Amino acid sequence: MHPTKENFSTILLFLVLLIFSFAPIHGFHPLDPLTPFELNQVQTLVKKSHQNVTFHYVGLDEPDKPKILSWISQNQPKNLLKHRQAFVMARVDSKSHEIMIDLSNNKILSDKIYDGNGYPMLTNEEQATASELPHKYGPFITSIKKRNLNLSEVLCEGFTIGWYGEENTKRVITVMCYYVDGTINFYMRPIEGIMATVDLDQMKIVQYRDRLMVPVPKADGTDYRESKQYPPFDTRIKGMTILQPDGPSFIIDGHNVRWANWEFHLAFDMRVGPIISLASIYDHDMNKYRSVMYRGYVSELFVPYQDLSEEWYYRTFLDAGEFGFGLCAMPLQPSTDCPPNAVFLDGFYTTQDGTPTKKSNVFCVFERYAGDIMWRHSEAALPGDTVEVRSDVTLVVRMVSTVANYDYIIDWEFKQSGSIKVTTSLSGMLAAKGSTYTHKDQIQEEVYGTLVAENVIGARHDHFLSFHLDLDIDGVTNSMMKSHLQTTRAIDPNSPRKSYWKVVDEVAKTESEAKIKLGSSAIDIKVVNLNKKTKVGNHIGYTLMPGSVAGSLLWKDDHEQIRGGFSNYNVWVTPYNKSEKWAGGLYVDQAHGEDNLAQWTLRNREIENKDIVLWYTLGFHHVPLQEDYPIMPTLSNGFELRPANFFEHNPVLKVKSPKLVKWLNCSA
Ligand SMILES: *[C@@H]1O[C@H](CO)[C@@H](O)[C@H](O)[C@H]1NC(C)=O
Ligand SMILES: *[C@@H]1O[C@H](CO)[C@@H](O)[C@H](O)[C@H]1NC(C)=O
Ligand SMILES: *[C@@H]1O[C@H](CO)[C@@H](O)[C@H](O)[C@H]1NC(C)=O
Ligand SMILES: [Cu+2]
């Protein structure tokens, strides 16, 4: 029998189905991000029910936590929990839709219209389209001519506008423009005074203002490309690399990562970027893995500028919910963004029309060996020279998100000692404001920033990042322990001391007792498992070790602060609730701050001996400096989650330093 065209395609379809029905089984995990196949399924289903639809967020709706935990405890049977769901935030005919999709049965479970305040994440495509509108808009062309600028050297960009008490808002952004003549660093050449407001649903300019003429800062000294540096500095640093002749010591199986004593799951999400799940650490004394963190990720960012002028006051961005921290992630450059021994992973997201798209090299995973000491001691009092040192090797997961002018580098670092160290670093460009001033002495008024070069003001602002840290310290039932280091008068008449400090432990009972502004008193914050103790009787826990501490300096009733309410405190604890994922709320763009961490915690729920989530807000108050111009050297801050009586003793006592690698004297 000769295959006809028809049964040939049936065979093809069968083969495709065969491949896809097997594909998810290998290394399958219920927390795996949606595959391109599943994203396609989402696109097809949603487009079948809505003709005119744009996709603003598509992500995994993960199974409920108890289901996942019981799946884990049954040794992850392959046939169970193959139940997959997607959550979609879409716009259909100028309305926001929340669509839940059952991927296993290929059907829409629910499709809800949201008519509350706020809008979903912007798509890259609509921002790009909006940014091109001024070039075809008569009054704008006139403004550019008036300034003697060349229109073909003008580039524009969209900015979200926040919310300042308006009752109803349309889905609009403002578009600001820059001059790229003579540089690729267009952020340093703002065309100040011009502002176009674009209605994104109608995709047209609905308001336009040309309020003032300000010199466009010059291009000289702004280009940062290596090829443009004359003369470049002599390289005084000689060549170097990292050698791992036997390959890395980690294993990546699907989305599961295993390294040294750690095991975790790593997923990419277009809203938050990397999600670390089910991190657990192997305890050699107990001969088992013990849970540390169920899920951890950057849940929201808040970047309020401190400039009151008409073109600037609304710049109070919530980067994850407005622009997508994952959506803005950039492909990592081998050997520069990550060391030469890094392994790269891809992520998938959907474009505005729902098409699955690959983000190549969105994460890198590497072992860090930088000559640091894990622990050491010299027995100076003993004869002979007893010295013991162990060198530190850690595992890093990295992502870089370029949200317009800023580059955020997020590192999740796992240490063999049990610590999880998170570092957030900033680089990229200042938000520069054009100015008439060329010297500080000329400035008499409030300019809201630092004159960083002639005609360039670096505007003051903050960066706050809220981390969602669902810790499960050796089980899900945890509590927050506040250990106050309290200065106390010495009343012992036999002691010549007048004072000492002691530790006063207090378990936070409700959400309000867990809200903490760090910095004013000595306090250790722990998440403890009150149901478990070490052999000598201490509660098992993990400590939150903050880096440098910053919280919002704005008034709590200021509109932008209501939206960025998670920056009111550095530490918050909530009882676990699957729908409380994003500290800025589900809808963030132009939202009124009615659905966010600050609001949820007003219920003052009980948090003692419960499955709890720790939220940590770290911050930078950024007073721009001349060194930040024309591109900012990396500035870092972070925190560490460190075992606190979790182990019976130092867990890296028996760990060896890495084997020395003999250099081959290669001469090619
Ligand atoms: C599609 O929706 C947009 C608003 O989201 C609306 O302006 C446009 O007219 C719609 N197009 C069709 C063909 O319905
Ligand atoms: C404007 O810029 C374009 C693109 O760089 C260039 O081709 C053109 O010659 C410029 N026009 C003027 C008048 O300088
Ligand atoms: C979970 O959180 C959402 C949002 O705060 C709330 O509406 C819902 O009632 C909560 N569910 C439970 C069981 O507390
Ligand atoms: Cu900054």
Side-chain angles (χ1 to χ4, degrees):
M1 192 187 89
H2 293 279
T4 59
K5 231 183 183 173
E6 209 164 89
N7 64 30
F8 179 73
S9 58
T10 312
I11 291 166
L12 204 68
L13 182 69
F14 177 74
L15 283 176
V16 167
L17 285 177
L18 199 70
I19 289 162
F20 278 112
S21 62
F22 279 120
I25 292 177
H26 170 75
F28 162 80
H29 194 287
L31 296 177
D32 284 351
L34 299 178
T35 63
F37 181 74
E38 290 172 324
L39 292 169
N40 251 321
Q41 234 184 313
V42 169
Q43 184 188 34
T44 308
L45 282 169
V46 173
K47 285 202 147 179
K48 215 183 273 171
S49 82
H50 300 294
Q51 275 79 50
N52 192 8
V53 56
T54 52
F55 294 78
H56 295 254
Y57 172 78
V58 181
L60 174 76
D61 176 60
E62 82 275 9
D64 291 339
K65 187 169 172 180
K67 277 193 192 150
I68 294 207
L69 294 178
S70 80
W71 177 76
I72 302 276
S73 69
Q74 292 164 47
N75 238 341
Q76 319 192 353
K78 286 191 165 45
N79 54 334
L80 285 182
L81 251 182
K82 259 201 74 187
H83 162 90
R84 298 275 286 168
Q85 275 182 207
F87 178 60
V88 180
M89 293 171 81
R91 295 275 297 170
V92 181
D93 300 322
S94 302
K95 288 199 163 63
S96 298
H97 283 241
E98 293 165 19
I99 306 169
M100 201 64 88
I101 292 170
D102 176 350
L103 294 162
S104 311
N105 295 307
N106 202 37
K107 65 168 198 236
I108 291 180
L109 286 177
S110 64
D111 186 338
K112 218 170 70 188
I113 291 180
Y114 170 78
D115 55 13
N117 297 309
Y119 298 110
M121 250 160 65
L122 277 66
T123 69
N124 283 341
E125 293 83 351
E126 64 190 353
Q127 289 176 71
T129 310
S131 301
E132 282 161 16
L133 295 177
H135 286 76
K136 287 164 265 161
Y137 187 72
F140 178 76
I141 297 167
T142 309
S143 299
I144 294 301
K145 278 206 185 118
K146 200 169 77 181
R147 286 167 173 78
N148 264 322
L149 302 174
N150 181 346
L151 188 64
S152 11
E153 298 279 1
V154 173
L155 256 185
C156 303
E157 195 171 59
F159 289 82
T160 47
I161 60 155
W163 168 68
Y164 289 88
E166 306 88 351
E167 281 211 356
N168 293 300
T169 47
K170 294 210 151 183
R171 200 164 157 265
V172 300
I173 57 172
T174 63
V175 173
M176 313 299 286
C177 302
Y178 301 85
Y179 207 41
V180 289
D181 188 22
T183 185
I184 55 157
N185 191 350
F186 68 91
Y187 286 110
M188 290 306 130
R189 306 202 71 194
I191 304 169
E192 219 55 57
I194 298 177
M195 194 164 91
T197 305
V198 172
D199 182 318
L200 290 174
D201 286 330
Q202 300 174 49
M203 201 42 89
K204 67 170 203 213
I205 295 176
V206 289
Q207 199 181 42
Y208 181 77
R209 270 167 293 179
D210 181 353
R211 200 169 66 92
L212 39 111
M213 294 263 277
V214 178
V216 174
K218 58 183 190 303
D220 295 355
T222 60
D223 211 314
Y224 49 88
R225 285 172 292 181
E226 193 176 321
S227 58
K228 300 284 169 187
Q229 311 309 318
Y230 296 118
F233 287 158
D234 273 352
T235 303
R236 300 206 179 117
I237 309 281
K238 293 173 183 148
M240 62 178 80
T241 192
I242 292 170
L243 273 188
Q244 289 189 302
D246 304 324
S249 310
F250 54 83
I251 293 167
I252 302 180
D253 172 19
H255 295 269
N256 290 310
V257 182
R258 271 197 307 278
W259 171 81
N261 45 354
W262 281 102
E263 181 177 85
F264 59 89
H265 181 275
L266 170 63
F268 172 78
D269 176 77
M270 66 188 281
R271 178 153 174 164
V272 302
I275 301 180
I276 307 282
S277 303
L278 293 161
S280 51
I281 189 161
Y282 195 77
D283 185 324
H284 287 275
D285 293 329
M286 294 191 177
N287 265 321
K288 62 170 191 183
Y289 278 96
R290 296 169 68 196
S291 64
V292 176
M293 187 169 75
Y294 180 66
R295 292 206 120 187
Y297 52 86
V298 177
S299 102
E300 190 52 272
L301 296 90
F302 180 39
V303 189
Y305 281 83
Q306 307 299 325
D307 185 321
L308 304 186
S309 63
E310 192 175 326
E311 293 83 6
W312 278 76
Y313 76 89
Y314 57 83
R315 300 190 196 193
T316 51
F317 309 115
L318 290 150
D319 285 336
E322 291 175 352
F323 301 106
F325 201 51
L327 188 60
C328 294
M330 289 289 150
L332 294 163
Q333 303 301 303
S335 290
T336 46
D337 272 332
C338 309
N341 59 332
V343 167
F344 294 84
L345 302 173
D346 301 330
F348 291 91
Y349 69 102
T350 52
T351 57
Q352 176 173 286
D353 78 344
T355 307
T357 309
K358 179 154 66 177
K359 260 192 196 292
S360 303
N361 293 7
V362 75
F363 299 144
C364 69
V365 180
F366 60 91
E367 286 167 284
R368 175 179 279 159
Y369 174 50
D372 291 328
I373 298 168
M374 184 158 71
W375 58 258
R376 82 170 318 286
H377 189 58
S378 313
E379 287 297 350
L382 286 182
D385 27 49
T386 305
V387 184
E388 272 298 310
V389 192
R390 297 289 193 281
S391 41
D392 208 10
V393 180
T394 63
L395 184 78
V396 179
V397 174
R398 176 171 295 167
M399 184 189 85
V400 173
S401 184
T402 304
V403 189
N405 51 320
Y406 265 102
D407 295 69
Y408 291 90
I409 306 156
I410 300 292
D411 281 359
W412 286 85
E413 183 175 7
F414 295 83
K415 299 190 181 201
Q416 297 177 76
S417 62
S419 277
I420 302 177
K421 185 177 173 187
V422 179
T423 307
T424 65
S425 307
L426 308 178
S427 190
M429 307 306 158
L430 288 173
K433 185 181 188 185
S435 160
T436 53
Y437 301 116
T438 53
H439 193 281
K440 191 174 186 236
D441 291 349
Q442 301 158 352
I443 305 175
Q444 303 294 329
E445 52 168 348
E446 175 64 271
V447 292
Y448 310 110
T450 310
L451 191 66
V452 292
E454 288 182 5
N455 306 114
V456 186
I457 300 275
R460 293 174 203 130
H461 59 277
D462 310 275
H463 303 261
F464 297 112
L465 288 91
S466 166
F467 284 84
H468 173 109
L469 303 165
D470 181 356
L471 300 184
D472 281 357
I473 304 303
D474 217 5
V476 291
T477 312
N478 289 173
S479 301
M480 182 216 212
M481 174 90 85
K482 301 189 282 182
S483 298
H484 304 272
L485 311 191
Q486 213 169 72
T487 303
T488 309
R489 173 203 284 269
I491 43 167
D492 183 345
N494 299 320
S495 173
R497 289 275 296 269
K498 291 182 182 165
S499 67
Y500 71 112
W501 59 259
K502 63 180 182 186
V503 178
V504 179
D505 286 337
E506 180 196 354
V507 172
K509 299 208 157 28
T510 60
E511 288 177 298
S512 67
E513 291 179 24
K515 295 179 189 178
I516 294 171
K517 271 188 188 168
L518 293 170
S520 56
S521 63
I523 185 169
D524 272 351
I525 289 162
K526 296 192 201 97
V527 172
V528 294
N529 190 327
L530 291 179
N531 314 302
K532 289 190 179 165
K533 285 181 179 172
T534 59
K535 284 185 190 141
V536 296
N538 292 307
H539 286 303
I540 281 169
Y542 255 70
T543 299
L544 168 70
M545 317 265 316
S548 82
V549 168
S552 181
L553 303 173
L554 298 170
W555 288 355
K556 276 192 191 169
D557 65 348
D558 210 342
H559 291 93
E560 66 284 350
Q561 190 58 35
I562 292 170
R563 297 176 62 236
F566 62 81
S567 60
N568 290 341
Y569 297 94
N570 302 104
V571 179
W572 312 67
V573 173
T574 56
Y576 175 83
N577 175 327
K578 189 180 154 192
S579 70
E580 293 175 358
K581 286 185 174 153
W582 298 300
L586 183 57
Y587 294 89
V588 168
D589 177 34
Q590 296 177 57
H592 299 190
E594 298 151 312
D595 162 38
N596 62 23
L597 183 57
Q599 292 300 319
W600 306 333
T601 55
L602 289 178
R603 280 179 273 171
N604 203 17
R605 293 164 288 186
E606 293 189 354
I607 54 168
E608 188 182 3
N609 240 332
K610 292 223 149 49
D611 185 5
I612 55 174
V613 178
L614 175 70
W615 304 77
Y616 179 60
T617 303
L618 72 76
F620 301 80
H621 297 303
H622 195 168
V623 180
L625 303 170
Q626 282 189 250
E627 288 83 357
D628 301 343
Y629 175 92
I631 183 165
M632 183 180 155
T634 308
L635 176 69
S636 301
N637 193 2
F639 64 92
E640 201 167 319
L641 298 166
R642 191 178 162 97
N645 301 322
F646 184 87
F647 294 106
E648 291 292 340
H649 55 87
N650 178 349
V652 283
L653 184 65
K654 296 179 183 175
V655 169
K656 291 184 178 175
S657 295
K659 270 185 292 187
L660 277 183
V661 173
K662 292 234 168 60
W663 285 85
L664 298 173
N665 202 1
C666 308
S667 47

